[in-house]
């Protein structure tokens, strides 16, 4: 075993005899080297016996000069890491009348004494003085359990003191090497507090990963892998989780709803076409929110002929209703037109939302809107969208019907008959026949629910809705898939700010998928097992890959159908087309040769915007090699959003948003990481790396100092603009766990009658303030 020698303390003897430290507050840290040498040596030798192969830097840093105190601190931290202790900053001496630091002391983290019972005595004294003024409410407060903190202070005398010299640099005038406590093993030195720093670069990386959807532990594991281990990352898992929690709480320091409102205002400043509206009640609490961005409006102008609206999902701590407006694009994928939060499902709320949606979309109404079976919603649609065809969701309808079946739930034939009435009939006559047979067979004539359902048949029966465009959607289940996509991380305790972040991430993911599909369609043409000629070849050129597969199926079915020419009147040809040996599939097709007009009694084109196999068979039989332009809907083609993409690309180039600095950052990080691994075993190589880092850091700081001042000015302007936003309160919290109170009996109900009358009078007086509304394009008299 090798014992560390303390002879290096001799250099301080003459220096301390000629110095006067009476003016400092840190005299308790000074030691008399000659008098205490035996005691220090004994304590130090007992605690610091180390292995021969263990390297400890016991050299003094006396008389070393550095330009700043931060460099002095870094130097002492390097020494502490090699020896095995932690550093903390201690007393400071400032030049009188200025902020210039003339002396500063850095000590071992074990210096000083532990604060025993001082806080407890203060609390007891304050309790005794205020004991007479305590109320019943204060006595009911729960006393917090005292935190038990381990003792880490041992009055260690190890320290370093730096003083400002005549040259304007900081010089180390005193360095005490003696410790009175065991030193840390080499493999644990990275756990010291002075070695754990959350630098600005690491904080930015953590924030980026959190915004990307990575959980705290996932981002921590990634940084460990990237750095090469837990001892190289520079902070512990607790530091990482604490910082992630601060990032989570920082946006909602001023309130959850207020954070969302601030984001909406920020989005409006970044996007000139961004639109949002907010309703608050008489108490200033948010009751309803609606928003959409510029791309949603562009998508609505192209694909908004069919809109899906669903309110069956509640996904936040305030039990607000999530109400997304969705549709389908030319790739048959979900697309968002807007989103809203509603406090209730009353007709007035739906009217406000539909009118706001209509205003946001430039007073353009959808051709068809799919919703669930809700009376208030139906009345609101009739008032706001009188010309829009309202369709009920078959999925919700079927789910409600199952609860009405009773003993018929186990009857498979009844389920088949009901399902045929929903979507299996091809004509009105077939629907009426099937419906009356089902009602008669299962004795449902007296069922009020089935009678009300039959009165709404035009809103749900597919056989009665083939004369208007619905894009082939049978239900609003596509909107439910939207809710599932939004709710994959949302729950009953999700805040509005968290949900807004999840919503934006979902929209980014959808748009990324859309851009990928657009890229594939622009660079390739789909292949088919059938010969690519005539109509099929033209369809591959104009339709997206997804819609081409649908056209291919219809084309293949047309090749297996039978055709009968019924009559010819001039240029008008009348045909009957059916599947071979199946007369129930017969449809009549009328074809005019002059202008290539074709109609079919199945009305598939009117409903879906795509030709049916009956029409394809007749066109193919008349040697038509290209689909007539009148039967190509632009919403299904590859070029549906061509003008939008051109506009977006031009705006990004103009604003300079298109950049490539992120790939460069990752590339340079890997190169420097490999360089560190290559040089860390050679002392000269490490010296070259450190010197080059210092030189480059000074040059980069000087370069960025000008930009930082400009950024500060921009941030101040942004804070001023944000301070002008409207202040709101959070909605009332909903209790989602357990039953709040016991079930009330007859006595309780009778007892509370008088209280209800009093509450009515109080609420009328408290609600004297009228609800108000604000947002984009807000009239001045409403602010």
């Amino acid at each position: 075993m090798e014992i560390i020698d303390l002879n290096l303390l001799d250099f301080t003897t003459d220096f301390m005899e000629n110095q006067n430290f009476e003016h400092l507050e840190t005299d308790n840290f000074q030691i008399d080297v000659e008098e205490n040498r035996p005691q220090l040596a004994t304590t130090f030798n007992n605690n610091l016996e180390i292995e021969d192969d263990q390297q400890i830097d016991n050299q003094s840093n006396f008389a070393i000069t550095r330009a700043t105190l931060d460099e002095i601190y870094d130097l002492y931290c390097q020494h502490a890491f090699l020896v095995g202790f932690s550093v903390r900053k201690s007393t400071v001496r400032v030049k009188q009348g200025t902020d210039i630091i003339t002396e500063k002391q850095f000590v071992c983290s074990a210096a000083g004494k532990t604060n025993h019972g001082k806080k407890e005595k203060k609390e007891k004294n304050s309790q005794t003085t205020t004991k007479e003024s305590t109320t019943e409410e204060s006595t009911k407060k729960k006393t917090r359990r005292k935190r038990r903190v381990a003792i880490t202070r041992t009055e260690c005398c190890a320290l370093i003191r730096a003083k400002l010299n005549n040259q304007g640099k900081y010089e180390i005038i005193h360095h005490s090497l003696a410790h009175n406590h065991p030193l840390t093993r080499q493999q644990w030195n990275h756990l010291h507090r002075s070695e754990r720093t959350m630098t600005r670069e690491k904080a930015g990386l953590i924030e980026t990963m959190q915004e990307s959807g990575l959980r705290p532990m996932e981002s921590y594991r990634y940084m460990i892998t990237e750095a090469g281990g837990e001892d190289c990352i520079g902070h512990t898992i607790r530091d990482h989780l604490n910082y992630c929690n601060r990032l989570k709480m920082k946006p909602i320091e001023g309130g959850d709803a207020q954070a969302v409102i601030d984001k909406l205002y920020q989005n409006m400043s970044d996007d000139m076409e961004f639109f949002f509206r907010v309703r608050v009640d008489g108490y200033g609490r948010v009751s309803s929110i609606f928003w959409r961005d510029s791309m949603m409006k562009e998508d609505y102008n192209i694909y908004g002929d069919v809109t899906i609206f669903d309110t069956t999902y509640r996904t936040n701590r305030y039990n607000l209703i999530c109400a997304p407006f969705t549709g389908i694009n030319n790739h048959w994928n979900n697309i968002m037109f807007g989103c809203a939060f509603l406090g209730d499902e009353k007709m007035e709320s739906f009217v406000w939302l539909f009118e706001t949606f209509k205003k946001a979309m430039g007073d353009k109404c959808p051709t068809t809107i799919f919703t669930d079976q809700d009376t208030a919603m139906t009345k609101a649609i009739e008032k706001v969208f009188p010309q829009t065809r309202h369709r009920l969701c078959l999925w919700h309808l079927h789910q409600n019907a199952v609860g009405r079946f009773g003993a018929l739930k186990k009857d498979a034939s009844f389920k088949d008959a009901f399902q045929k009435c929903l979507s299996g009939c091809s004509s009105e006559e077939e629907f009426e026949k099937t419906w009356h047979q089902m009602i008669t067979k299962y004795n449902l004539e007296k069922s009020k629910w089935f009678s009300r359902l039959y009165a709404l048949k035009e809103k749900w029966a597919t056989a009665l809705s083939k004369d208007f465009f619905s894009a082939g959607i049978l239900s609003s289940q596509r909107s439910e898939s939207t809710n599932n996509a939004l709710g994959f991380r949302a729950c009953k305790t999700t805040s509005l700010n968290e949900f807004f972040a999840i919503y934006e991430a979902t929209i980014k993911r959808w748009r990324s998928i859309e851009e990928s599909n657009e890229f594939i369609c622009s660079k390739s043409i789909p292949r088919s097992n059938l010969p690519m000629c005539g109509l099929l070849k033209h369809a591959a050129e104009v339709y997206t890959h997804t819609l081409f597969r649908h056209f291919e199926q219809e084309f293949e079915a047309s090749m297996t159908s039978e055709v009968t020419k019924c009559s010819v009147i001039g240029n008008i040809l009348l045909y009957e087309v059916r599947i071979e040996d199946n007369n129930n599939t017969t449809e009549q097709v009328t074809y005019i040769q002059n202008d290539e007009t074709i109609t079919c009694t199945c009305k598939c084109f009117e409903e879906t915007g795509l030709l049916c196999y009956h029409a394809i068979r007749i066109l193919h039989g008349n040697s038509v090699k290209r689909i007539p332009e009148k039967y190509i809907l632009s919403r299904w083609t590859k070029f549906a959003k061509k003008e939008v993409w051109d506009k977006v690309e031009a705006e990004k180039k103009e604003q300079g948003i298109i950049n490539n600095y992120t790939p460069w950052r990752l590339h340079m990080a890997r190169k420097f990481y490999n360089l560190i691994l290559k040089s860390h075993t050679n002392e000269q190589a490490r010296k070259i790396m450190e010197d080059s880092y210092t030189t480059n850091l000074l040059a980069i700081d000087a370069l960025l100092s000008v930009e930082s001042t400009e950024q500060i000015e921009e941030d101040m302007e942004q804070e001023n603009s944000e301070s002008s936003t409207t202040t709101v309160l959070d909605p009332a919290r909903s209790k989602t766990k357990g039953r709040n109170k016991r079930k009330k009996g007859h006595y309780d109900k009778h007892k509370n009658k008088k209280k209800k009358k009093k509450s009515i009078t109080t609420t009328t007086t408290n609600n004297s303030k009228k609800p108000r509304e604000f947002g984009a394009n807000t009239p001045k008299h409403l602010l």
Side-chain angles (χ1 to χ4, degrees), residues 608-656:
T608 64
L610 296 169
L611 290 175
C612 58
Y613 71 89
H614 314 101
I616 294 175
R617 181 69 175 87
I618 300 305
L619 292 175
H620 183 73
N622 284 273
S623 301
V624 178
K625 296 183 179 181
R626 297 179 66 85
I627 303 172
E629 293 294 332
K630 65 180 73 177
Y631 299 111
I632 300 177
L633 264 64
S634 61
R635 77 175 328 275
W636 298 131
T637 64
K638 300 177 181 179
F639 322 106
K641 293 185 67 173
K642 182 179 182 302
E643 296 181 358
V644 176
W645 297 130
D646 294 341
K647 179 181 177 182
V648 170
E649 185 176 2
E651 290 178 354
K652 286 186 176 181
K653 288 182 178 179
E654 182 179 356
Q655 299 174 3

Side-chain angles (χ1 to χ4, degrees), residues 751-764:
K751 185 179 180 181
N752 292 334
K753 284 183 179 180
K754 296 181 180 179
K755 292 183 179 180
K756 288 182 179 179
K757 293 181 180 180
K758 293 181 180 180
S759 62
I760 293 174
T761 57
T762 55
T763 53
T764 53

Side-chain angles (χ1 to χ4, degrees), residues 278-282 284 726-728 770-774 782-783:
V278 180
R279 292 180 73 190
V280 294
D281 58 15
T726 307
T727 304
V728 298
K770 294 182 179 179
R772 59 194 179 95
E773 177 183 345
F774 64 91
L782 293 178
L783 290 175

